[in-house]
Amino acid sequence: MIDLDRVAPPSRPAPPSARVLPAALVVVLMSVFLIGPSAPMPEIRDLPEVAATAVPSGTWLLTGTTLYSTHAGTTGQLGVTAWSLESGAALWQRELDWFAGLPALAQAGPALVVSGNDDARILDARTGEDRVDPGTYSVARPAGDRVALWDGAAGMLTLFDPAAGRAVWRRELVDRPHAVAATDDHLLVVTDIGATVLTLAGGELVDVTSKAVAAGGAPVVKVIDGRVYLLGDNSLTMIPPADVRTMWTTPLLLPRTAVPCGAHVCVSGGPGLAAFDPDTGRLAWADVNWIGGENGVVRTADGRALQIDPDRGAVRRDLGRGLPAGDLLIRADGDGLSVVEWATGLVRGRVPGATPSGCRRTGEHLACQQVGGQVRVWELL
């Protein structure tokens, strides 16, 4: 029998569907919830170009305010030009008699050091005028904000202060200095017959060793945590100026640069990237396909960037294709470049029409040498 007077209980609702919202719809909804329905997509702007060399450049140097470039002059001389990063105009240009091969450029306080084989010029960085008598010194090596000058004919080493425009001290040095490095209190001078440590303030002798330094004729010099690293033709040498007798040397094919690398020092060169214990010279790890190491980011042989654990040499994150430049990655982007913060993925800007063969970063400026030799500088937004 059916009881017509009882009200039937309501039917139970159907269980929710297990269907997943399309990914595109999820992105739209999330953008509405997080940034609002009317928020515009961020615009990627072109980075403003602030300076560029007028002709293809040889060696060049980027500082916080100026781009210095060299080029072959029309009469066989060496042209040196300073370009303002504020106005983009040439601040000055010099034509130098130069027979010393490809010059090296370095800044020492308010001076621009132009050095080569058996020739050196010390120029005022603001005007291009000579700060010391040209032709007197055959060797010039930056030593912090000062310059170590060697007069081979007189056998004298001079520490010159460009800010004061005078010699701080002079002392006899018969042998040609191949490398010079300044720390807080010491000046290290490396010659064919060994290493000499002088006080930076007065040039007094602190220590000397006749132990041969396998540094070659003109090694690259890096000062890291008070230690001096000499990158010779086929060796890496570490010399602590406070105790030169504890120096060590390890064979290394064509080392080119050294950077801090966690508890180690990382050296790029012919065999890739290698990390060394700074106290003993012991090899901690190496990878033949890596280049770089600064800020814990390396570049691979096939053009990718990796974030690594510098203490273990292990990969933490693949950052994709790009050229590391400080905290940035420079990536090919159509007919130009994109500048990306590798830590966040934020695009800082785009550089149209650039095809770099090498880039350098200084503060808020990025400079890249183009395939044809011209150097262009952009301001990072």
Side-chain angles (χ1 to χ4, degrees), residues 151-214:
D151 181 351
M156 297 292 294
L157 180 71
T158 299
L159 186 66
F160 177 73
D161 183 354
R166 63 178 181 83
V168 180
W169 48 257
R170 291 184 175 88
R171 67 165 291 121
E172 184 178 359
L173 185 71
V174 177
D175 296 299
R176 175 191 178 93
H178 295 311
V180 170
T183 60
D184 290 341
D185 303 311
H186 300 104
L187 183 72
L188 173 70
V189 182
V190 177
T191 68
D192 280 331
I193 63 172
T196 301
V197 181
L198 309 171
T199 63
L200 194 60
E204 295 85 8
L205 181 64
V206 176
D207 199 2
V208 63
T209 175
S210 59
K211 182 178 180 180
V213 179

Side-chain angles (χ1 to χ4, degrees), residues 203-378:
E204 295 85 8
L205 181 64
V206 176
D207 199 2
V208 63
T209 175
S210 59
K211 182 178 180 180
V213 179
V220 175
V221 181
K222 295 288 184 179
V223 179
I224 301 174
D225 294 332
R227 296 181 171 97
V228 179
Y229 294 87
L230 305 180
L231 285 68
D233 296 332
N234 293 293
S235 65
L236 170 68
T237 299
M238 189 283 294
I239 307 177
D243 189 5
V244 294
R245 300 176 196 281
T246 61
M247 61 184 281
W248 53 258
T249 297
T250 186
L252 190 62
L253 179 63
L254 299 175
R256 287 296 175 258
T257 186
V259 296
C261 196
H264 305 124
V265 57
C266 280
V267 182
S268 292
L273 182 68
F276 296 91
D277 184 315
D279 295 321
T280 65
R282 180 185 64 85
L283 179 67
W285 55 261
D287 194 301
V288 296
N289 293 311
W290 290 357
I291 306 167
E294 195 165 14
N295 299 319
V297 177
V298 300
R299 180 163 51 97
T300 65
D302 63 354
R304 301 184 70 81
L306 305 174
Q307 184 184 13
I308 66 167
D309 179 346
D311 291 325
R312 298 187 300 116
V315 176
R316 286 178 172 169
R317 185 159 58 114
D318 189 334
L319 303 175
R321 303 193 69 82
L323 176 68
D327 60 344
L328 303 175
L329 284 180
I330 315 302
R331 287 178 172 160
D333 181 8
D335 64 344
L337 304 171
S338 286
V339 180
V340 183
E341 292 182 0
W342 60 259
T344 64
L346 176 67
V347 179
R348 293 279 294 272
R350 189 174 180 275
V351 179
T355 54
S357 58
C359 295
R360 300 172 193 172
R361 164 89 183 279
T362 301
E364 290 306 304
H365 291 99
L366 174 71
C368 296
Q369 187 161 24
Q370 307 303 292
V371 173
Q374 183 191 36
V375 180
R376 300 167 64 189
V377 187
W378 300 271

Side-chain angles (χ1 to χ4, degrees), residues 83-151:
W83 306 88
S84 168
L85 301 187
E86 182 177 357
S87 66
L91 297 173
W92 53 263
Q93 181 172 340
R94 288 288 308 273
E95 296 285 338
L96 307 178
D97 293 326
W98 192 259
F99 307 98
L102 192 66
L105 302 180
Q107 188 174 27
L112 178 69
V113 181
V114 185
S115 58
N117 300 325
D118 296 319
D119 200 356
R121 300 291 286 269
I122 313 301
L123 308 180
D124 189 302
R126 296 161 298 182
T127 66
E129 297 298 322
D130 288 298
R131 297 301 302 271
V132 299
D133 184 22
T136 302
Y137 302 100
S138 56
V139 175
R141 298 284 186 266
D145 289 338
R146 299 172 178 178
V147 187
L149 303 170
W150 185 65
D151 181 351

